[in-house]
Every structure is written in C-alpha cells, then in structure tokens.
Amino acid sequence: MRRSLPVTVAAVLAIGGSIAAAAPAVAAPKAPRSGPPTVLAEHLAGPLTFDLAADGTITVGQSFLGEVTRIAGGTSTTLSQGPDSTGVSVLGSTVTWSERAGDEQSIEGSWLKSSGPAGDTSIDLLAWEQANNPDAGNMYGFESISQECADTLPPMVSPVPYPGGVDTHAYGTLSLRDATYVADAGMNAVLKVAGDEVSTVAVLPPQPIVITDTMRSIGEPGGEPIVLDECVVGLTYDAEPVPTDVELGSDGMLYVSTLPGAPGLGFPTGSVYRIDPTVEGGDPQLVATGFAGATGLAVAPNGTIYVAQMFGGTVTAIARDGSTSTFAELDSPAGVEWQNGKVIVSAGVFGDGRIVAYPVRGS
C-alpha cells in the first residue's frame, strides 16, 4: 500500500443535498444493526481482499501468503501464487486479482491478472504507470514549515512538498461486464481497464491533515521509535490519498475508500469518495471522512455504505444522509462485500484471518 511519506515510516498496512424551505421534513434513515455473525472461512493469512460468487463460493487474496484461494464447500483450492496477491474480484467464472513485487521503498513490478473461460490475461501496470503517472500533478507533504522545524525532521520525512511519484499497487478491483475498475494505492487514482487498454477515471486529491500531538509518533522502522518534534503540531500535511477499494452503487456512481499515508497512519483520517465514471477525468466528491484505516467498502442496494476501519476495529455504516453509525466491532477488518442482505467482512488480517457474514437488521 502506498505511503504518503516518501519511505518506510508508515505502518502496514456527506452524501449531501439541499432541501427547499417549503419541503416537508424527511426522517433520518434508521441505522442498520448487525445480527449474529457466521464464520464462512478461517485460518487465512492476510485476507485483505475477497469476493463471493452467487453460489457462495469465496475467492480470497491471502496477501501474506502470496496466494489467491477459492473456498467452496469447505474445500480450499489454490488458483494462483504470486507476490502480495490482493485486489480480488469475481465476475461469473472469471477471477481478477493483482500482484505487486517490491517493498515500501521500491517497486519492482505490478500486474493486474485474470483467469477464466476466455483465458488468462496480465496487464503490466508498472509500465503504464511509468508512462503516465496520473498523480504527477499532485503535491504532497507539509504545506508550510519553518526551516528550523524542517531541520528536526528525520531523513525519511521530506521537508518540502513532493509530486506524485512512480508507484502502483492495485489494492482493490471491481469487475463489471465491460471493464474492470481499479483502486490503485500507489498511483493514487482509479483506473479503468477494458481489454488491454488502461485509462484514468479519476485522480484522488491530496488529503489535508492537521497534525496533532499524538500523530507525532510515526512508526518504529528497525524497532526504533520515531517521534517528530513538537514543532509539527498544528501544521497541515497534504497526505497521499491511497485508494483501497472501489465499488459500484445502485445510482451508477463509483465509491472509493482511501487510507491516507501520513504521520499518524491509523488515526481517523480516511475518507470515502463518490466518482461519476461517465465523466472523463472524474471529479471525486467527498461522501464521509474520519475513518481509522478505511481499507474496504461495500454499497447496499438502498445506498448504505459499509466501511471497514482496519485500525479502528469496526465496520461503519454511512446512511444516505451522510450520518454514520457502528455496524459491527471486530479485530482488524479489511475487505467488505454485500450479498443477499448480509455484510461479509474479512477480519483478523494480522493474525488468524477469517471471513464472517453479518445479517443486516433495521435498515
């Protein structure tokens, strides 16, 4: 997953509307409640993304194992093995996923792959990123910082704003009949892949974050804690957005979750955006913000959006009026899908991973 600080200091990782004065009051939608969960799969290694077929078959990217796995009738089948397997989506008998080679400091390769009745495909996303770099026009980093404060920053934190660099990680995908949409956490963009043609749907904007005292602690690379000087408190840091998932709403809009990489990754700075896929160049509209690690989302037919907060330990529901409520609490949730009145979530992604289903009540 792309970090907004130039190197390895980060951890792993209102739908609005005006109402005329004479219009009658509209009751706020009821917050959905979760019923008792059912475990669908367990003992998974980093199930960051997954998808379900109509018959309940689960296809999951076990990122930490480097494997795409199909689970049906209690039996697991390995479909593919490759580095950092994520971005899993299913359309009929075709499975799409992504692979990324490299680490937080460098990118060696990135591919969007698929396998199905029509054969196997592989799109070289790194080559496309090197040729296009859609977020090159974005600037990230401190908006303003004194030289005295800049001199206190550790080497891995740039004291000056920097443009979007060459990186790609197709963290989330959405497979539709005519194209696959990609939430690329390295490019900071949503892509459309139709056949072997890749195009930019939208570039996500920098995420302005006002640094608090608790955000001064930015990680422990090599086991040594790094804490920024207190002079950074109150400064605005324009973080890379880091899109993590993309889903289609019943309104025809794309919905995208973001996990900004910045000082204090894990604090509530993630957002959800709405994008019109028919508008060239896109224009991301903020739906809601304040999520601690928004790594996945699902959109119910009634428009309710369910967001996994990996670092917040919750799945949050966003109602049509933009209000939010806690739908479920569970350890390190990552992927979220909707199927037949249930919210399906992958959880425990840093340990003994599992996929659980929550029936939805009261919405």
Side-chain angles (χ1 to χ4, degrees):
M1 201 177 292
R2 179 69 173 273
R3 277 65 170 167
S4 67
L5 298 180
V7 289
T8 65
V9 298
V12 169
L13 282 264
I15 299 176
S18 59
I19 301 177
V26 178
K30 292 183 179 179
R33 296 177 292 105
S34 62
T38 300
V39 177
L40 304 182
E42 53 188 346
H43 310 313
L44 303 172
L48 299 180
T49 64
F50 69 96
D51 204 356
L52 301 98
D55 64 359
T57 297
I58 299 171
T59 304
V60 56
Q62 297 193 69
S63 179
F64 305 157
L65 187 62
E67 179 177 301
V68 177
T69 310
R70 175 178 290 152
I71 304 171
T75 300
S76 297
T77 304
T78 299
L79 301 183
S80 174
Q81 290 184 312
D84 197 7
S85 298
T86 51
V88 171
S89 59
V90 176
L91 180 65
S93 300
T94 299
V95 177
T96 297
W97 72 97
S98 66
E99 296 177 5
R100 182 187 189 277
D103 54 28
E104 296 176 3
Q105 294 178 307
S106 62
I107 171 73
E108 299 172 4
S110 177
W111 306 269
L112 181 69
K113 298 188 174 185
S114 68
S115 181
D120 298 340
T121 66
S122 181
I123 302 293
D124 188 339
L125 292 178
L126 178 56
W128 190 89
E129 162 72 344
Q130 291 169 331
N132 296 274
N133 192 11
D135 77 328
N138 281 357
M139 296 298 293
Y140 308 110
F142 290 103
E143 291 186 358
S144 178
I145 187 171
S146 69
Q147 187 60 53
E148 181 181 8
C149 188
D151 290 342
T152 70
L153 298 176
M156 69 283 296
V157 182
S158 175
V160 296
Y162 64 95
V166 172
D167 191 10
T168 164
H169 185 179
Y171 188 90
T173 70
L174 168 66
S175 296
L176 302 178
R177 285 187 301 175
D178 60 343
T180 295
Y181 290 93
V182 178
D184 196 296
M187 296 188 201
N188 293 312
V190 176
L191 309 178
K192 179 181 179 179
V193 180
D196 58 1
E197 295 293 323
V198 182
S199 59
T200 303
V201 176
V203 176
L204 277 295
Q207 313 285 284
I209 297 170
V210 178
I211 298 177
T212 65
D213 187 65
T214 52
M215 290 181 179
R216 291 169 54 208
S217 178
I218 60 174
E220 298 185 6
E224 293 295 326
I226 293 180
V227 180
L228 301 181
D229 189 90
E230 61 183 12
C231 67
V232 302
V233 175
L235 299 183
T236 298
Y237 188 94
D238 290 329
E240 297 187 33
V242 190
T244 54
D245 197 8
V246 55
E247 296 291 350
L248 183 69
S250 58
D251 56 0
M253 299 293 107
L254 297 177
Y255 290 84
V256 181
S257 55
T258 68
L259 169 60
L265 178 66
F267 289 91
T269 56
S271 301
V272 172
Y273 285 88
R274 180 176 59 243
I275 298 171
D276 186 345
T278 67
V279 176
E280 185 176 355
D283 183 18
Q285 302 295 316
L286 182 65
V287 174
T289 191
F291 303 109
T295 52
L297 81 166
V299 186
N302 68 355
T304 301
I305 304 169
Y306 296 88
V307 183
Q309 298 193 61
M310 179 182 285
F311 305 127
T314 64
V315 174
T316 298
I318 307 172
R320 294 184 301 278
D321 66 352
S323 60
T324 62
S325 60
T326 297
F327 174 74
E329 297 182 354
L330 64 172
D331 58 307
S332 56
V336 188
E337 298 293 338
W338 170 274
Q339 188 179 68
N340 300 329
K342 297 179 181 179
V343 173
I344 321 296
V345 187
S346 61
V349 296
F350 299 117
D352 189 10
R354 64 194 185 281
I355 296 175
V356 296
Y358 291 89
V360 177
R361 299 174 176 174
S363 60

